[in-house]
């Protein structure tokens, strides 16, 4: 009987330790996410930077960018669609800086706020851009990866 109790106790401890090991430090994740995102916007950004960013996302990631794109529906090809969009804009910035203002965490969510200043040329219109704006991103986390991105900026 003692062996069964001991075995059950060890089993409980190992399952509990595995569950703890499977969780992520959401505040640290928020800082990492921001730095990886920022690298994708740099004038020297590469496809590898984009792949590094996409590795933080679920395959069926939903992406909402208000006020431009109000739909955050998760689709099976969400990550692939983000890749295509990011490759389209890759290299359009001639200047890019972003400063992280805050990281706020909650249950399975990370909220980051940052300021962006950029210059570049729009790939479709050829229009020269010089912008400065604040962004708030709400990252919904699932299984240690971003499942939904809700981005608020102008």
């Amino acid at each position: 009987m003692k062996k069964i109790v001991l075995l059950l106790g060890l089993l409980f401890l190992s399952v509990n330790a595995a569950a703890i090991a499977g969780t992520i430090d959401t505040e640290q994740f928020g800082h990492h996410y921001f730095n990886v995102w920022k690298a994708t916007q740099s004038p020297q950004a590469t496809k590898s930077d984009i792949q590094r960013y996409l590795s933080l996302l679920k395959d069926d990631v939903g992406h909402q960018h208000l006020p431009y794109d109000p739909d955050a529906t998760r689709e099976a090809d969400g990550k692939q669609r983000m890749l295509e969009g990011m490759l389209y804009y890759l290299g359009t910035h001639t200047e890019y800086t972003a400063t992280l203002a805050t990281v706020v965490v909650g249950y399975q969510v990370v909220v980051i706020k940052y300021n962006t200043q950029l210059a570049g040329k729009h790939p479709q219109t050829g229009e020269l851009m010089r912008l400065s704006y604040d962004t708030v991103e709400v990252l919904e986390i699932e299984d240690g990866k971003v499942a939904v991105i809700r981005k608020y900026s102008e």
Side-chain angles (χ1 to χ4, degrees):
M1 183 67 168
K2 288 181 182 180
K3 289 181 182 180
I4 292 174
V5 171
L6 179 61
L7 182 61
L8 288 174
L10 288 173
L11 180 62
F12 173 76
L13 289 174
S14 65
V15 169
N16 196 24
I20 291 169
T23 63
I24 63 169
D25 179 334
T26 48
E27 184 168 354
Q28 181 182 21
F29 182 86
H31 287 273
H32 179 67
Y33 174 93
F34 170 75
N35 289 325
V36 172
W37 162 255
K38 189 168 122 174
T40 70
Q41 303 303 298
S42 156
Q44 297 81 26
T46 65
K47 291 179 184 177
S48 294
D49 293 316
I50 293 173
Q51 289 296 342
R52 196 170 300 112
Y53 170 73
L54 293 174
S55 74
L56 302 175
L57 313 180
K58 303 226 9 127
D59 289 340
D60 64 344
V61 66
H63 184 266
Q64 177 182 45
H65 187 175
L66 295 170
Y68 311 107
D69 183 12
D71 185 14
T73 303
R74 292 174 70 178
E75 302 283 343
D77 64 345
K79 189 188 286 192
Q80 179 61 37
R81 290 173 51 202
M82 285 193 68
L83 171 62
E84 292 166 8
M86 292 178 80
L87 287 174
Y88 179 75
Y89 287 99
L90 181 64
T92 60
H93 295 152
T94 56
E95 300 172 30
Y96 183 86
T97 60
T99 306
L100 183 62
T102 59
V103 175
V104 179
V105 300
Y107 178 73
Q108 299 295 326
V109 69
V110 178
V111 180
I112 61 173
K113 181 178 181 183
Y114 57 94
N115 175 270
T116 298
Q117 296 180 359
L118 66 86
K121 188 175 183 181
H122 193 281
Q124 187 176 21
T125 66
E127 178 184 351
L128 295 176
M129 310 176 288
R130 184 164 293 280
L131 304 169
S132 178
Y133 55 90
D134 290 326
T135 300
V136 174
E137 287 192 39
V138 179
L139 310 172
E140 297 175 16
I141 309 297
E142 183 180 286
D143 302 324
K145 292 194 174 205
V146 178
V148 177
I149 303 165
R150 299 183 194 280
K151 186 178 290 198
Y152 304 87
S153 63
E154 295 186 35

